[in-house]
Amino acid sequence: MNKAVNDGVWSGSWVAERLGVELLGDPELTNLLGLALRRNPKRAHLLVSNVLGKHVPQSPSIVYGYGFTLGRRVRELLGAEESARAVVLGYAETATGLGHAVADGIAVAPYLHSTRRPVPGVATAGGFEESHSHATSHLLLPENPELLSGEGPLVLVDDEFSTGNTVLNTIRDLHQRYPRDRYVVVALVDMRSAADAGRLDEFAAEIGARVDLVAAASGTVRLPAGVLEKGQELVARYESGGTGAGGSSSAARSGLVAQFPAPLKDGGAGAGGSSSAAASGLVAQFPAPLKDGGAGAGGSSCAAPSRLAAQFPAPLKADLDADPPGARGTARPAPTGPHSTHNRITRVELRWPRDLPDGGRHGFTPQHRIRLERALPAMAARLAEALPQDAHRVHILGFEELMYAPLRLARELEQVVDAGVTYSTTTRSPVLAVDDPGYAIRTRLTFPAHDTPADGPGDRYAYNIAGAGFDAVVAVIDDTADTPELHAPDGLLARLAEHTPHVVLAVVPSYVPERPPMLPDPLRGPAFSSYAPEEVGWLLQDLSDVTLEAPTEEREEAIQSGGAHYAESLPVEYQPSEQYQQLFHTALDEAADRLALAVGAVTELVLAERSPHPVLVSLARAGTPVGVLMRRWAQYRHGLDLPHYAVSIVRGRGIDANALRWLAAHHDPADVVFVDGWTGKGAITRELTDAIREFEESDGITGFDPEIAVLADPGSCVKTYGTREDFLIPSACLNSTVSGLISRTVLRSDLVGPHDFHGAKFYRELAGADVSVDFLDAVAARFPEVSDAVTVLAKELLAADRTPTWEGWAAVERISEEYGIHDVNLVKPGVGETTRVLLRRVPWKILARAGAGADLDHVRLLAEQRGVPVEEVAELPYTCVGLIHPKYTRGATGADGKAVAV
């Protein structure tokens, strides 16, 4: 307690005198901290914070102000850019509200706190142990599992930094899985010993990261020899002998109230049990505000909570989800029956905004904070209506980890009622209560747990409430804890009713993330595709039984008119003639060495630059044979068994977000390497980049690299490739019969729901014409012959400047204008894309580089079969370019006035 207010008695003096404990350091430590004893075999003494809002009732503006100010200091330390990338992690149970207030001070950082409450259906993203705590196991249950895996700073918040073990254990655990460059540790008080202080720098050097510390005050506790045994003996003697207020009401109300700080202005908003200074003395100890004059940048030099609150942002309008308050006195009594304990208990409906998290157990974003700010005035007004007209001292009592919501409600209530408002919460931690001005815990209420805890039933506690003279106590709990035990004759509400004439119950809905249905495992051959099951897993759904094919001309008209997207239907599978099939086999035989060389080179680049253990993810379907070949090369050359999947990407619609979610749940996104066969003008490269950025913004999952690895990059669109030559990749000659008998992917709203993978068909009936495995085996058979050449080529590529020039895109734009098409999507550059035009679309004409040889034999044959002219062009950056008929309708004519041949 403030020495001036309580005859110079510090609320740690009782313990200090009996155990020889000394509190050394900054002068304000004795205002910030008191001392108590607890039943704990690891540490007998307890530092009791006067500004945390856990054990000691305090003005909510002071409690919130300390956390908010620390957040402002963190923001100043990190700077605006790093603050925008930061994530704040608070510790259960004592620092959940403090950490949240720090996140508010940073303003742009999402918040998560650890929890000791398992939540069915929510996966654990990590956990750690708190060695000195009464309840040690911490769980991390973020709704977005990638919240902890970003590259920005991680800000860890606890009420005190004593040995540093808890924080260092947390960082070590998280750093092994989600390494980052910077950590910031935040605490109200830094109480490390000299020996412990040096460990932080050593630890930072060990993990190769910067670790900063921000605290409101610093010092240390000097403990004499044998203090643990003496403390345990003292606790046992007092509890067994009934000496000194170990129970719930041992102190007379008048005697206890006299020890609390003097009332503040406007109705005595004193700290109702605070053993710190009165608001003026306590707040004055905190650093001066920052220059920007924001919400308590370094604390407040004001003398009362009302002036402290004035430094924070004004409340926004009520959330649209919250209804306006009714007239005073409309709060309904608690029901009778099993949920009724006392006629002085009133239940008030807060009308908490729908789907707004009640705290940071599963994550709390800056957008959530904005919604809460809007809703607080209306909810506080409802609380005010439930209070008696003549209440002068009102206490808001939170519930264990539920600290932030009650704190914000209390602070808002403090602004709108004449009564003095204080705040604290219940706790799991058993602490000895002693009715002495020099002891921090004056009284203790004991009651059974009422939230069906995972570790079984047990006692819970509320300190410094009994005998404090409160006219009303508002218990704010979540609905998980609104159980018969809460309302039982020995439950929390009944115990509170013994010590105050009015008990108000406000229940906040406990937020539980809605988990989408579990995504299925990948499809594999032979049930789906003709590839061996280990060669590729398809992150697709099987639409083989759905009729999706439409005539090519009908599809082209619908696509160009805007009536349908190309991914909503499938072209009729091209059935190659005997002559065309022979061309494929000839081309494969002639190109196998060149293909094997490119496969080896691009795989070596991936292993050297992207990841030593990549997860290959092919863009279905053209990328799938290439991904299988890269997997085979890694196995042949390095003995690696790389995972390989195929996913759908659709121009204009992006990549399959559910496939990305599945990949993130099963692999490190940083190891994922997207694979395709070749680049044309680079449209898919751009599509993937945009899609990954949108996915990061929507899901918060980061780490995916949109850079595609391809065999051939004639458009100079990527930096990871086997060659930039535009040559025939024989797999481009055919459709499903060289791609595991799988169709192009399909995305149609009536077939693909929000929690489904994109679809595709398995053409089992084409098994007699399937050459998928023949293609793979022919190329893989050349690996030994090109092995030395791959080594040389890979070294050359690694040393070369492979920065994309995007010259292909520029060429396409030029061709589009020169030929009067005015739509780059109708210009398909390169051998592979030109082949696709002839097989799937309505071609207008083919541009071929003058002197192009056997690489275009199959193109010339297809063009002849479809009656499409082939025009030789002297200056062409590609071997050939396919032009889709512009503004096609089934009555359209070509440039020569004749109907397009089909």
Side-chain angles (χ1 to χ4, degrees), residues 513-526:
E514 287 190 14
R515 289 292 186 187
M518 291 291 292
L519 291 166
D521 290 333
L523 301 172
R524 296 185 182 273

Side-chain angles (χ1 to χ4, degrees), residues 362-672:
H362 306 298
F364 199 95
T365 67
Q367 291 72 30
H368 290 144
R369 180 170 59 85
I370 291 171
R371 287 192 67 204
L372 178 61
E373 295 281 358
R374 290 172 176 165
L376 279 170
M379 291 192 290
R382 295 186 186 101
L383 283 182
E385 291 157 13
L387 297 174
Q389 295 276 2
D390 57 351
H392 295 293
R393 294 174 57 82
V394 176
H395 186 69
I396 308 298
L397 183 66
F399 162 62
E400 296 187 23
E401 294 175 12
L402 186 71
M403 295 186 70
Y404 181 71
L407 172 61
R408 296 306 310 275
L409 286 166
R411 182 173 173 270
E412 195 67 29
L413 186 67
E414 191 177 41
Q415 317 304 312
V416 299
V417 299
D418 293 335
V421 178
T422 53
Y423 158 82
S424 67
T425 71
T426 65
T427 176
R428 285 169 163 253
S429 180
V431 184
L432 176 69
V434 177
D435 182 22
D436 188 282
Y439 191 81
I441 303 299
R442 303 293 300 279
T443 64
R444 180 177 73 199
L445 292 179
T446 303
F447 53 92
H450 53 91
D451 61 340
T452 317
D455 55 355
D459 287 341
R460 299 294 185 264
Y461 310 93
Y463 296 109
N464 292 328
I465 304 298
F470 295 122
D471 299 311
V473 174
V474 180
V476 181
I477 64 166
D478 58 28
D479 57 11
T480 301
D482 188 14
T483 61
E485 290 81 5
L486 174 71
H487 300 266
D490 62 344
L492 172 62
L493 298 181
R495 299 311 305 273
L496 292 174
E498 296 170 2
H499 300 281
T500 182
H502 298 280
V503 176
V504 177
L505 174 63
V507 179
V508 175
S510 184
Y511 179 76
V512 178
E514 287 190 14
R515 289 292 186 187
M518 291 291 292
L519 291 166
D521 290 333
L523 301 172
R524 296 185 182 273
F528 188 83
S529 89
S530 59
Y531 292 129
E534 69 274 8
E535 298 266 38
V536 60
W538 302 84
L539 295 177
L540 297 169
Q541 62 168 315
D542 189 353
L543 300 179
S544 300
D545 296 331
V546 182
T547 300
L548 295 166
E549 292 76 12
T552 301
E553 294 74 23
E554 182 180 316
R555 292 183 74 250
E556 191 66 49
E557 183 175 10
I559 292 168
Q560 291 202 32
S561 69
H565 191 278
Y566 78 88
E568 294 177 345
S569 63
L570 294 173
V572 177
E573 278 287 302
Y574 170 71
Q575 300 300 310
S577 64
E578 185 177 342
Q579 182 183 6
Y580 190 84
Q581 288 178 351
Q582 184 56 48
L583 272 177
F584 165 79
H585 288 289
T586 300
L588 177 58
D589 184 62
E590 293 177 352
D593 281 347
R594 188 156 49 163
L595 283 170
L597 180 63
V599 166
V602 71
T603 308
E604 293 300 322
L605 289 187
V606 166
L607 293 171
E609 295 183 332
R610 301 289 291 276
S611 173
H613 40 75
V615 177
L616 303 177
V617 178
S618 298
L619 303 181
R621 74 186 161 180
T624 310
V626 177
V628 175
L629 286 170
M630 291 176 66
R631 182 181 183 277
R632 287 191 178 190
W633 175 268
Q635 202 164 39
Y636 159 76
R637 186 69 174 268
H638 301 283
L640 297 175
D641 188 15
L642 300 182
H644 175 220
Y645 306 96
V647 303
S648 169
I649 186 169
V650 176
R651 181 171 51 82
R653 304 284 180 84
I655 197 166
D656 187 342
N658 284 320
L660 293 183
R661 294 181 186 112
W662 190 95
L663 289 167
H666 293 81
H667 300 282
D668 185 345
D671 290 329
V672 168

Side-chain angles (χ1 to χ4, degrees), residues 204 216 303 489 496 543 551 647 673 701 744 870 896:
L496 292 174
L543 300 179
V647 303
V673 177
I701 298 176
R744 292 183 65 257
V870 178
D896 58 359

Side-chain angles (χ1 to χ4, degrees), residues 669-681:
D671 290 329
V672 168
V673 177
F674 295 103
V675 174
D676 209 355
W678 57 84
T679 63
K681 57 181 172 288

